[in-house]
Amino acid sequence: MSRRGFAPPVPTGPRHNEFIQSPKVRVIDHEGENLGVMYTREAMEQAQALGLDLVEVSPNADPPVAKFLDVGKYKYEAQKKANLARKTQKTQEIKEIKMRPNIDDHDYETKMKAVHKFIGEGDKVKITLRFRGRELSHGQLGMQLLQRVQADCAEDAKVESYPRMEGRQMLMVLSPK
């Protein structure tokens, strides 16, 4: 019975040392100076003489660019940079404001304060107008209300999805300019 051969571990992150597949690479030393194009084996020997690894930093270049670096430190710094980017990115949420077609002026102003606050924070706002009973036969009142909302938000928001009916409710989506 034959056994399966032992496959070497697949490296995660950038290729380094013996995992570099190109026969020649453009080499940059640990101080940032360009040493020119040389054979991968020769570059690896020079890196090991300095106690560093040969790391492929730009694999799509012709020839690939490799640097003398400490692989562990390079991966750690790349991971920290990715974590920082993920932490600082802002995901845009969709906030929903619900109204009725016969809303009173003060209630309307309160809802509009919330809309302006959400848009100021960079979020999209979905305005939902719910019709009950006989209100459904007066769709023009809902359309007038949504046009009023659109006019009041014209300076800091644009209409992403214009008013449309979905069953018993009318929807409109606003997004920051």
Side-chain angles (χ1 to χ4, degrees):
M1 230 172 18
S2 65
R3 291 180 148 187
R4 280 194 217 159
F6 178 71
V10 179
T12 56
R15 289 188 288 233
H16 60 282
N17 294 340
E18 62 273 357
F19 296 109
I20 296 176
Q21 296 164 348
S22 177
K24 286 187 174 184
V25 289
R26 181 173 305 279
V27 181
I28 298 171
D29 71 355
H30 62 287
E31 295 169 352
E33 291 187 34
N34 189 352
L35 301 179
V37 178
M38 60 176 70
Y39 289 103
T40 305
R41 289 275 162 226
E42 184 184 331
M44 254 193 316
E45 290 168 6
Q46 286 185 13
Q48 287 173 347
L50 292 168
L52 297 171
D53 301 300
L54 184 68
V55 180
E56 199 174 39
V57 291
S58 181
N60 298 331
D62 188 34
V65 179
K67 249 182 174 177
F68 294 162
L69 297 169
D70 180 13
V71 175
K73 188 176 179 182
Y74 181 73
K75 285 182 181 178
Y76 174 73
E77 288 174 356
Q79 186 181 14
K80 275 184 69 172
K81 199 181 292 184
N83 286 344
L84 182 67
R86 188 170 50 242
K87 191 191 312 183
T88 57
Q89 79 181 9
K90 170 83 170 89
T91 56
Q92 196 174 47
E93 295 180 30
I94 297 183
K95 305 284 188 168
E96 186 173 16
I97 299 287
K98 293 184 177 181
M99 295 186 192
R100 296 278 311 282
N102 57 350
I103 191 169
D104 200 36
D105 287 337
H106 185 266
D107 296 335
Y108 173 81
E109 289 166 12
T110 305
K111 299 278 188 182
M112 288 310 294
K113 278 183 191 173
V115 168
H116 287 295
K117 184 182 98 175
F118 293 149
I119 288 176
E121 291 171 357
D123 296 324
K124 292 182 181 181
V125 179
K126 177 177 167 184
I127 312 282
T128 305
L129 214 62
R130 170 154 264 155
F131 293 94
R132 288 168 61 187
R134 286 263 176 101
E135 292 174 349
L136 198 55
S137 61
H138 298 287
Q140 74 277 7
L141 293 176
M143 189 59 78
Q144 288 170 358
L145 181 63
L146 289 179
Q147 287 171 349
R148 181 177 166 196
V149 169
Q150 184 179 343
D152 289 348
C153 294
E155 66 271 354
D156 56 344
K158 63 180 182 283
V159 178
E160 186 170 291
S161 130
Y162 286 93
R164 67 183 187 283
M165 284 296 291
E166 280 187 12
R168 290 191 152 276
Q169 52 191 20
M170 192 177 277
L171 305 172
M172 177 172 77
V173 179
L174 300 172
S175 63
K177 278 190 177 177

